[in-house]
Amino acid sequence: MSTDRSAQDFAAFQLPSTILNALTDLGYEQPTPIQTKSIPLLLSGKSILGVAQTGTGKTAAFALPLLGRLDPELQAPQVIILAPTRELAIQVAEAFKSYAKYLDNFSVLPVYGGQDMRTQLRALKRGVQVVVGTPGRVLDHLDRKSLDLSNIRGVVLDEADEMLRMGFIDDVESILSNAPADCQYALFSATMPPTIRRVAERYLKDAEEVRISAKTSTVERISQHVLMVDNAHKLDALTRVLEVEPFDGMIIFVRTKSETVELSEKLQARGFTADALNGDQTQATRENTIARLKKGLLDIVVATDVAARGLDVERIGLVLNYDIPYDTESYVHRIGRTGRAGREGKAILFVTPKERRLLRDIESHTKQELQSYEAPSAEQISEQRIQQFNQNVLDTLESQNLEPVKKVVLEFIDNHEIGLEDAVAALAFQLQVEQPLFPVLKDLPQIDRSARFKKNQDGRGGNKRRGRGERGEDDIPMERYRLEVGRKHKVMPKDIVGAIANEADIDSRYIGHISIHENFTLVDLPTGMPPELLKHLQNVRIKQQPIKIAKDSKPFPGGKRGAPKRQRRK
Ligand code: AMP
């Protein structure tokens, strides 16, 4: 199978060598599709409207060109990024730091609600070049005049649809209206609801729309599976999969060149014959690896997209996407490495909680739902090991002359007056010291394919959900909570959504009806909130007021319970 995407290289962009060097350190091999399209446009000073979600490489798509256009001499805010959550703001700031590690005097500051104002004020006073903030806190700084937008040349709205959902869009517009008129803009959004389009039309005049292609082809012979896993448990999940999945040859896809090396070394240390395949290697090395895979001298190849392009090895029965690909097209390319020559193939995709949307995208573009795949449990692994053990014993009985060994064993049990069964059990135990027949393994955290409680996910709570509506929300059971803040504290729905989404890490789509009263507020949240989360929320403050959240048992004031009108979030 050939690909219609020609190999690209970061070096082809007009990026400073300091930035290219940082990318080399990070092990980035080639730009992702959204980067290929966005970077030249932003470098040339154009504004862009990007339809892209987390996992596509969108952060680097705007960070790299904006860093490339920074004035290193000017210690004042030149670029501002608005992000819906504290978590994303920090993540984006970290990404900027890693790309700018060789830029002299570079400074970036995340600003978000909940963090001590004085720290932020001090940092802003010292002078920062890039500010990444949540809309509310950025507005606070504008009001206090602690943030000066007069030198801003680039404005990024990251996850614009999420900011809309969280009720931040008015704040975003106020900030935009304060930015210099000739600013360059980049707006990224996973979806393009009309309100976001309107904001784009108003501020991002002449912006180019950038989308990643959704070209696909059908792959019927390949059974496709998805395993939800957080980053911290990926290696564990992988080793379990490798133990129970029967495979001949296998290819594992990762994002970076460095990861191909790291992961293949980890697999080698665990006794697998694995090797790395990446674009840094010489042609000869790569050919040698592929030849060994073909001949069965090597079972696992850990590769990047570039290196595996066009790879055609019949032995590959399993493709494992350790890191999710950046778009559907490369997903289809990747899994097409199995099921060659009319054989059956299997593909397993690891998806972290943040990458759920990308998963949904892959499913909708390939028009099929991937089957859920649970990380193998200790029992399954035990079963597999016992089976393997039985087979090894039978093979040995068949292939070896055991007479002299038998004599040793018989003498041993005679001398020590031990039962034959005990002796055999002891030997079996010893044989399996590295791979105990009854391994003690913790279950991996369960992660739902659709988000609800993102943090402290423990698999609790009902699963009675059905897809609903065009926003892809889930029809999940809700229960009502009472917060001890109300109109008299000047609380607005967006404050409630912001605080709960940030502090409880509940996806804002799952924050239901909000009804603000004089002294208190009622809000509907999904049932089954883990107790530690509720405890954490109790200490959260909104408008300096501890919210003291608690389940509300009283009837809904002024109306029937269960069918409250949804108050518009302003
Ligand atoms: P994002 O969509 O911005 O959240 O990025 C998803 C992940 O991909 C992050 O972990 C990035 O570090 C990584 N990443 C972004 N661009 C590249 C690239 N060109 N090559 C390899 N990894 C990348």
Side-chain angles (χ1 to χ4, degrees):
M1 190 163 125
S2 73
T3 158
D4 51 358
R5 251 194 268 161
S6 54
Q8 290 125 346
D9 196 333
F10 278 108
F13 301 128
Q14 302 297 311
L15 286 167
S17 59
T18 38
I19 293 178
L20 293 176
N21 291 343
L23 296 181
T24 307
D25 288 0
L26 287 167
Y28 288 12
E29 192 165 56
Q30 59 155 183
T32 71
I34 199 79
Q35 291 164 4
T36 303
K37 292 186 177 162
S38 309
I39 293 174
L41 289 170
L42 288 173
L43 274 176
S44 73
K46 290 217 169 71
S47 290
I48 62 164
L49 183 61
V51 186
Q53 41 234 329
T54 301
T56 53
K58 65 178 165 63
T59 316
F62 63 78
L64 299 175
L66 293 176
L67 279 171
R69 286 167 63 83
L70 221 53
D71 174 358
E73 307 301 327
L74 180 62
Q75 282 299 325
Q78 300 178 45
V79 170
I80 183 161
I81 295 105
L82 299 178
T85 61
R86 163 174 77 191
E87 191 194 21
L88 184 64
I90 294 172
Q91 201 181 302
V92 170
E94 293 297 327
F96 264 90
K97 252 187 225 160
S98 66
Y99 302 139
K101 73 188 249 206
Y102 295 120
L103 296 186
D104 289 335
N105 306 320
F106 173 75
S107 51
V108 53
L109 179 72
V111 298
Y112 44 83
Q115 193 200 27
D116 184 22
M117 207 44 170
R118 281 167 303 183
T119 322
Q120 291 176 8
L121 289 172
R122 247 181 281 130
L124 284 168
K125 210 164 196 171
R126 274 199 301 270
V128 293
Q129 295 172 313
V130 176
V131 174
V132 193
T134 49
R137 186 51 72 100
V138 168
L139 258 192
D140 274 0
H141 281 292
L142 289 180
D143 289 345
R144 288 169 178 248
K145 310 232 177 308
S146 44
L147 177 60
D148 169 20
L149 297 186
S150 59
N151 288 297
I152 292 284
R153 298 164 59 188
V155 178
V156 179
L157 308 185
D158 198 5
E159 302 197 353
D161 49 353
E162 188 64 10
M163 291 200 276
L164 171 70
R165 257 199 293 270
M166 291 176 68
F168 292 149
I169 206 68
D170 294 345
D171 290 355
V172 168
E173 289 207 53
S174 314
I175 296 165
L176 293 182
S177 63
N178 274 291
D182 56 350
C183 259
Q184 178 180 18
Y185 290 95
L187 183 155
F188 282 91
S189 199
T191 55
M192 275 296 155
T195 316
I196 299 294
R197 279 241 174 255
R198 268 201 302 281
V199 171
E201 275 158 22
R202 182 142 174 224
Y203 293 94
L204 283 76
K205 297 198 184 74
D206 307 322
E208 296 235 8
E209 189 157 325
V210 176
R211 282 175 185 271
I212 45 183
S213 86
K215 243 190 296 167
T216 55
S217 51
T218 43
V219 266
E220 285 134 14
R221 280 187 317 276
I222 305 167
S223 69
Q224 299 172 53
H225 307 260
V226 56
L227 191 153
M228 296 299 306
V229 60
D230 51 33
N231 273 318
H233 293 96
K234 271 189 176 181
L235 184 62
D236 190 355
L238 173 65
T239 28
R240 292 182 191 209
V241 171
L242 293 181
E243 274 215 44
V244 302
E245 277 299 329
F247 68 91
D248 198 6
M250 170 181 187
I251 183 156
I252 300 178
F253 281 99
V254 294
R255 281 202 170 122
T256 61
K257 293 182 271 197
S258 28
E259 225 185 322
T260 62
V261 178
E262 277 162 30
L263 188 59
S264 61
E265 282 172 358
K266 282 182 187 144
L267 293 176
Q268 285 163 8
R270 285 165 174 72
F272 297 99
T273 54
D275 222 331
L277 188 70
N278 67 51
D280 260 3
Q281 297 165 330
T282 62
Q283 186 66 21
T285 307
R286 279 193 269 171
E287 279 170 10
N288 178 274
T289 303
I290 294 166
R292 282 188 296 139
L293 181 66
K294 277 190 176 150
K295 284 188 206 142
L297 299 172
L298 185 65
D299 292 329
I300 304 176
V301 163
V302 187
T304 53
D305 287 301
V306 189
R309 194 161 282 164
L311 191 75
D312 190 355
V313 178
E314 277 181 36
R315 259 189 88 225
I316 299 175
L318 181 60
V319 168
L320 194 139
N321 283 294
Y322 193 74
D323 293 326
I324 194 166
Y326 303 107
D327 63 350
T328 311
E329 197 179 341
S330 62
Y331 173 76
V332 173
H333 277 147
R334 283 180 178 190
I335 67 168
R337 299 308 104 211
T338 181
R340 312 297 286 180
R343 289 191 179 194
E344 299 284 311
K346 184 166 187 173
I348 301 172
L349 170 67
F350 281 11
V351 175
T352 65
K354 278 191 196 133
E355 295 159 348
R356 287 183 178 108
R357 269 171 182 251
L358 210 50
L359 167 65
R360 258 186 266 161
D361 237 37
I362 289 174
E363 291 188 318
S364 74
H365 288 140
T366 58
K367 300 198 175 50
Q368 55 185 313
E369 192 174 327
L370 307 197
Q371 295 169 44
S372 289
Y373 186 105
E374 297 278 327
S377 62
E379 289 76 39
Q380 282 168 291
I381 290 172
S382 169
E383 219 173 273
Q384 179 67 28
R385 287 184 183 175
I386 291 171
Q387 224 175 31
Q388 187 67 49
F389 166 80
N390 291 347
Q391 193 57 50
N392 288 346
V393 177
L394 291 174
D395 287 350
T396 311
L397 282 172
E398 202 163 286
S399 62
Q400 304 294 329
N401 170 18
L402 298 172
E403 288 309 319
V405 188
K406 235 192 244 174
K407 236 178 99 197
V408 176
V409 176
L410 289 175
E411 262 175 38
F412 171 81
I413 58 174
D414 246 12
N415 291 345
H416 293 84
E417 293 181 18
I418 295 172
L420 190 58
E421 283 163 21
D422 289 333
V424 173
L427 291 173
F429 179 87
Q430 266 230 308
L431 184 71
Q432 297 289 137
V433 165
E434 298 285 327
Q435 287 204 310
L437 293 176
F438 299 97
V440 183
L441 295 175
K442 272 201 197 145
D443 279 342
L444 295 185
Q446 293 262 327
I447 298 169
D448 276 1
R449 279 170 79 162
S450 47
R452 190 142 61 113
F453 300 109
K454 294 193 278 190
K455 210 183 264 170
N456 303 328
Q457 190 95 32
D458 61 3
R460 258 179 284 172
N463 227 351
K464 304 173 241 159
R465 272 162 284 154
R466 269 172 284 121
R468 183 187 77 183
E470 40 173 20
R471 275 161 54 194
E473 289 177 35
D474 299 323
D475 188 9
I476 54 171
M478 304 283 246
E479 54 197 344
R480 184 151 299 150
Y481 288 84
R482 181 185 158 110
L483 280 56
E484 301 304 323
V485 280
R487 249 196 314 272
K488 75 168 183 202
H489 305 109
K490 299 198 169 52
V491 162
M492 304 226 281
K494 68 175 184 198
D495 302 320
I496 310 279
V497 179
I500 294 176
N502 264 316
E503 293 296 336
D505 214 352
I506 293 178
D507 197 308
S508 68
R509 285 172 302 159
Y510 298 109
I511 300 173
H513 174 77
I514 297 171
S515 150
I516 301 180
H517 300 258
E518 190 54 25
N519 300 317
F520 66 94
T521 294
L522 298 173
V523 54
D524 286 348
L525 298 173
T527 53
M529 186 186 312
E532 62 275 15
L533 224 153
L534 189 62
K535 203 165 145 222
H536 172 74
L537 274 180
Q538 270 152 6
N539 298 321
V540 168
R541 287 165 182 263
I542 297 178
K543 301 272 171 188
Q544 323 301 333
Q545 210 55 33
I547 63 175
K548 298 189 193 143
I549 188 170
K551 260 194 207 158
D552 180 54
S553 49
K554 291 175 214 76
F556 193 67
K560 262 191 287 169
R561 210 193 153 117
K565 275 209 206 82
R566 196 183 173 102
Q567 188 168 329
R568 233 180 86 76
R569 287 183 195 151
K570 276 192 64 188

